[in-house]
């Protein structure tokens, strides 16, 4: 399968350059100054990512704590049961992705984030009863918490993508990964500190692992209260016939007058796409045309099925699901979940030393993510993913070689052990600047409005199911394959680089509505062309883009040419 339109070079470059000249250059800090309100809203929403990252990272250190192992019994001594204790979170997260498409469309992206934050709090409370409930409390609590973070992992990028203008969209969606890795970072060091509560041996108390688990409640409560005051997604508002609210939200987020030409064009672009999708749905599925909760639920299955019916949409399915497959099989979560066990296998002695080395993983990932998120709209998605995969795979191969040569002589070859540990740190850094933020950006931005909740759900579902499998099998792999575990991850990661280079299109600097163009178009009936033209005329987009609008700013020529180009693209998409 070949994805058509692998770069935006097929678009009218003159129109693209004028749009970017109007909006400001992509990447770096400069466009951020013009969209500081968007940045603030997105940053707050990304507390959901912080919860996800903290919950992922905190358990690796808790698993290594003496007192926790006493309470869990066979669930930490048996490698398969240990895998279940860890991976049950990912299984819950996979379940969370299944209902979020419906939830985000029926009650809004904002309320989907709110409801899942409440669910997260419930799951944490259940985990904290493990002092008396034992492994059953951890299993139940982590499944519920997993459902919440799985849902947040798709609803937060969706919310950020729909609030962000094109020139900073990659940066703002990438904030999700920064938040995740910051959560991982602080969880590792909190584990390292609380490991000393009562001592690191048999005298260690329950507080050593209860404190890091309970601390998750604080950012969750902040998000629960604060999200109440955040705006709705303007694209969701338009799609649910709340155009006046959408205009106000766009104007507020962009810091412009509600009647500014740029606001008008952005609003009409969104409205044209929304009306086209609604009327197409009404024609093919008239019994589901009314936007009720029940119809939305039934339409979810229709929408997911439609992703597989045309080649342009199926290309999106392949890009989203396979990209997430390769993100997980880089082995990143094998490292995050079982870092102390991995470092012990590489010759580090003592639980405290392993936890310290694990903490460095969090620091490296976080620091390497920041510059990538700031400049990813300038570098592009494709080169970042391909080069990052090659770098990570190389680290895996080097670790496998060092491990194979020294696995029976670590005490007398400590330098080799530390060299392997350093390669694990380097691997984490390469993930931080590449596949960490960039994979989620690709999945969040490639879908049209009507398919976006379901498309992101499909990509996130692939992510979490593969995440679950990695978490489940890694303890047994480390126990039986040993150095072969790293060789296995290295080969798969090289395959990920090849997939990106040959099959993933470049999507940088395109509006969400323009994303259809780079995936090609075919087989759309002539009636669809007429419908889009009628909608453009009906809502006034034709009048605006052809210069007959009463708006007469000096910038109108730029707006008109951009709008004219959009109109041509919409017609081309229908052909």
């Amino acid at each position: 399968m070949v994805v058509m339109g692998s770069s935006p070079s097929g678009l009218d470059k003159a129109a693209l350059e004028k749009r970017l000249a109007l909006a400001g250059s992509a990447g770096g800090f400069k466009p951020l100054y013009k969209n500081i309100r968007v940045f603030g809203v997105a940053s707050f929403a990304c507390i959901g990512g912080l919860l996800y990252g903290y919950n992922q990272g905190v358990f690796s250190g808790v698993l290594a704590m003496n007192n926790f192992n006493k309470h869990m019994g066979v669930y930490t001594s048996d490698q398969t049961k240990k895998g279940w204790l860890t991976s049950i979170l990912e299984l819950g997260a996979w379940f969370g992705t299944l209902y979020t498409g419906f939830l985000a469309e029926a009650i809004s992206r904002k309320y989907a984030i709110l409801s899942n934050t409440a669910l997260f709090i419930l799951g944490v409370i259940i985990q904290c009863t493990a002092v008396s409930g034992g492994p059953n409390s951890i299993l139940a609590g982590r499944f519920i918490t997993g459902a919440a973070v799985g849902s947040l992992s798709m609803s937060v990028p969706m919310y950020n993508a729909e609030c962000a203008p094109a020139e900073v969209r990659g940066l703002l969606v990438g904030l999700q990964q920064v938040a995740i890795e910051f959560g991982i970072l602080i969880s590792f060091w909190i584990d390292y500190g609380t490991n000393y509560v009562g001592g690191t041996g048999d005298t260690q108390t329950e507080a050593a692992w209860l404190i890091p688990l309970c601390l998750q409640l604080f950012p969750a409560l902040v998000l629960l209260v604060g999200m109440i005051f955040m705006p709705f997604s303007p694209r969701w508002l338009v799609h649910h016939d709340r155009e006046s609210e959408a205009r106000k939200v766009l104007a507020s987020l962009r810091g412009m007058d509600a009647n500014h030409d740029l606001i008008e064009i952005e609003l009409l672009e969104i409205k044209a796409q929304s009306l086209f999708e609604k009327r197409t749905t009404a024609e093919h599925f008239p019994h589901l045309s009314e936007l009720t909760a029940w119809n939305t639920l039934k339409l979810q299955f229709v929408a997911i099925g439609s992703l597989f019916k045309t080649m342009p949409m199926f290309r999106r399915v392949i890009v989203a699901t396979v990209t997430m497959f390769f993100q997980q099989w880089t082995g990143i979560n094998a490292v995050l979940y079982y870092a102390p066990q991995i470092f012990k296998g590489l010759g580090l002695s003592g639980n405290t030393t392993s936890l310290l080395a694990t903490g460095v993983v969090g620091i490296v990932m976080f620091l390497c993510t920041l510059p990538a998120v700031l400049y990813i709209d300038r570098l592009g998605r494709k080169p970042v993913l391909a080069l990052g995969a090659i770098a990570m795979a190389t680290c895996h191969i080097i670790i496998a070689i060092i491990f194979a040569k020294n696995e029976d002589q670590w005490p007398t070859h400590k330098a080799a052990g530390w060299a392997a540990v350093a390669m694990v740190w380097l691997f984490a850094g390469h993930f931080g600047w590449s596949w960490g933020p960039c994979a989620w950006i690709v999945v969040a931005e490639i879908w049209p409005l009507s398919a976006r909740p379901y498309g992101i759900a499909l990509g996130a579902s692939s992510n979490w199911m593969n995440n679950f499998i990695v978490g489940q099998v890694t303890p047994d792999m480390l126990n039986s394959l040993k150095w072969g575990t790293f060789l296995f991850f290295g080969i798969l990661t090289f395959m990920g680089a090849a997939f990106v280079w040959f099959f993933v299109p470049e999507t940088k600097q395109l509006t969400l509505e323009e994303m259809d163009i780079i995936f090609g178009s075919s087989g759309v009936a002539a009636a669809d062309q007429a419908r889009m033209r009628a909608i453009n005329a009906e809502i006034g987009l034709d009048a605006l883009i052809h210069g007959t609008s009463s708006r007469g700013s000096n910038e109108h020529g730029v707006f008109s040419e951009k709008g004219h180009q959009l109109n041509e693209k919409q017609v081309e998409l229908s052909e």
Side-chain angles (χ1 to χ4, degrees):
M1 191 277 294
V2 179
V3 176
M4 296 176 62
S6 59
S7 75
S9 60
L11 304 178
D12 187 334
K13 291 186 177 181
L16 181 61
E17 288 171 0
K18 287 185 178 182
R19 176 164 62 80
L20 290 176
L22 175 66
S25 60
F29 289 99
K30 186 176 180 180
L32 196 59
Y33 299 148
K34 299 180 180 179
N35 297 279
I36 196 67
R37 297 180 186 178
V38 178
F39 179 74
V41 169
S43 297
F44 191 86
C46 281
I47 294 177
L50 177 72
L51 297 177
Y52 162 33
Y54 187 93
N55 204 264
Q56 276 198 308
V58 73
F59 207 65
S60 67
V62 167
L63 276 175
M65 292 183 184
N66 188 282
N67 187 271
F68 183 78
N69 289 333
K70 288 181 180 179
H71 282 279
M72 295 300 107
V74 70
Y75 270 87
T76 52
S77 58
D78 182 280
Q79 295 303 306
T80 301
K81 290 183 180 294
K82 185 178 184 178
W84 272 107
L85 203 65
T86 303
S87 63
I88 194 71
L89 177 99
E90 283 66 51
L91 187 61
W94 174 76
F95 174 73
T97 64
L98 297 182
Y99 66 73
T100 304
F102 161 72
L103 200 66
E105 193 60 42
I107 67 173
S108 80
R109 286 66 160 139
K110 172 180 174 176
Y111 288 147
I113 294 172
L114 278 168
S115 59
N116 281 290
T117 303
L119 187 65
F120 179 92
I121 292 171
L122 174 63
V124 172
I125 292 172
I126 293 174
Q127 288 182 67
C128 293
T129 66
V131 172
S132 57
N136 289 335
S137 294
I138 294 294
L139 289 169
R142 280 179 65 78
F143 181 84
I144 293 172
T145 302
V149 297
S151 183
L152 289 170
S153 75
M154 55 176 288
S155 56
V156 170
M158 187 192 308
Y159 179 80
N160 286 349
E162 294 182 0
C163 287
E167 68 272 15
V168 294
R169 186 181 65 241
L171 186 154
L172 296 184
V173 176
L175 279 177
Q176 168 81 346
Q177 186 64 29
V178 173
I180 290 171
E181 292 180 8
F182 183 67
I184 293 171
L185 167 63
I186 60 176
S187 71
F188 283 164
W189 289 101
I190 288 173
D191 280 345
Y192 177 73
T194 61
N195 184 54
Y196 289 97
V197 177
T200 58
D202 292 336
T203 60
Q204 190 178 64
T205 66
E206 288 87 355
W209 53 275
L210 281 176
I211 290 174
L213 291 182
C214 291
L215 283 176
Q216 300 172 87
L217 294 171
F218 175 70
L221 289 170
V222 172
L223 179 60
L224 185 68
V225 174
M227 197 65 197
I228 296 172
F229 303 99
M230 295 296 108
F232 290 96
S233 156
R235 285 177 171 82
W236 182 86
L237 288 171
V238 168
H239 205 57
H240 287 258
D241 302 320
R242 295 162 65 174
E243 183 180 335
S244 61
E245 293 178 63
R247 182 185 294 275
K248 292 177 183 177
V249 170
L250 280 174
S252 176
L253 289 173
R254 307 295 184 258
M256 297 177 177
D257 183 82
N259 294 317
H260 193 283
D261 277 332
L262 190 58
I263 300 298
E264 184 71 18
I265 286 181
E266 187 171 359
L267 185 66
L268 290 180
E269 287 176 350
I270 296 169
K271 185 176 180 180
Q273 179 71 13
S274 176
L275 284 174
F276 177 79
E277 289 154 2
K278 285 180 180 179
R279 293 179 185 181
T280 301
T281 299
E283 178 177 309
H284 295 291
F285 309 100
H287 59 293
L288 300 178
S289 59
E290 186 180 353
L291 279 179
T292 64
W294 179 240
N295 282 350
T296 299
L297 178 60
K298 290 188 288 185
L299 188 60
Q300 178 175 228
F301 298 100
V302 174
I304 290 175
S306 71
L307 301 183
F308 297 86
K309 291 182 177 179
T310 65
M311 188 53 67
M313 294 304 294
F314 186 67
R315 291 182 184 117
R316 289 176 165 94
V317 170
I318 295 299
V319 169
T321 57
V322 179
T323 296
M324 284 307 186
F325 168 86
F326 281 118
Q327 189 206 47
Q328 287 306 307
W329 286 98
T330 61
I332 184 60
N333 282 316
V335 172
L336 296 182
Y337 298 152
Y338 303 107
Q341 180 180 342
I342 289 172
F343 288 135
K344 285 181 181 179
L346 294 176
L348 296 192
S349 59
N351 186 48
T352 302
T353 303
S354 295
L355 285 175
L356 183 63
T358 301
V360 176
V361 170
I363 292 176
V364 172
M365 280 185 62
F366 180 73
L367 292 179
C368 289
T369 300
L370 292 176
V373 170
L374 288 173
Y375 291 96
I376 204 163
D377 276 317
R378 182 173 298 167
L379 298 174
R381 286 64 161 140
K382 191 168 183 171
V384 168
L385 288 172
L387 292 175
I390 292 171
M392 287 187 291
T394 302
C395 290
H396 275 308
I397 300 301
I398 294 173
I399 294 169
I401 293 172
I402 295 174
F403 201 153
K405 293 179 64 176
N406 298 280
E407 62 177 320
D408 297 322
Q409 51 187 5
W410 290 122
T412 58
H413 292 73
K414 292 184 177 180
W418 279 106
V421 169
M423 294 309 299
V424 174
W425 292 339
L426 192 59
F427 160 80
H430 287 313
F431 181 86
W433 65 260
S434 61
W435 283 73
C438 207
W440 284 108
I441 290 172
V442 169
V443 170
E445 70 183 1
I446 63 174
W447 302 99
L449 180 60
S450 63
R452 189 172 300 131
Y454 317 109
I456 294 177
L458 201 59
S461 178
S462 171
N463 178 280
W464 285 111
M465 181 51 67
N466 285 285
N467 197 336
F468 164 70
I469 296 171
V470 169
Q472 177 62 44
V473 303
T474 295
D476 286 319
M477 288 176 67
L478 292 171
N479 191 49
S480 57
L481 296 180
K482 300 185 185 302
W483 60 267
T485 303
F486 298 97
L487 179 63
F488 176 76
F489 285 135
I491 292 171
L492 277 178
T493 307
F494 274 128
M495 292 172 63
F499 170 76
V500 166
W501 191 254
F502 292 108
F503 301 114
V504 175
E506 181 55 73
T507 60
K508 71 172 182 176
Q509 299 179 355
L510 299 176
T511 66
L512 292 170
E513 283 68 35
E514 290 170 341
M515 206 62 64
D516 285 334
I517 307 304
I518 64 170
F519 283 95
S521 60
S522 61
V524 181
D528 286 345
Q529 301 177 42
R531 181 179 299 118
M532 180 58 78
R533 292 190 187 101
I535 289 171
N536 287 342
E538 175 186 332
I539 65 176
L541 186 56
D542 273 348
L544 186 57
I545 63 181
H546 292 305
T548 59
S549 169
S550 60
R551 299 179 185 276
S553 71
N554 292 332
E555 298 169 323
H556 185 74
V558 174
F559 294 143
S560 298
E561 188 162 348
K562 175 183 182 293
H564 181 66
Q565 182 65 22
L566 175 64
N567 192 44
E568 290 178 348
K569 290 174 186 176
Q570 291 169 330
V571 173
E572 177 187 346
L573 177 63
S574 301
E575 292 175 343

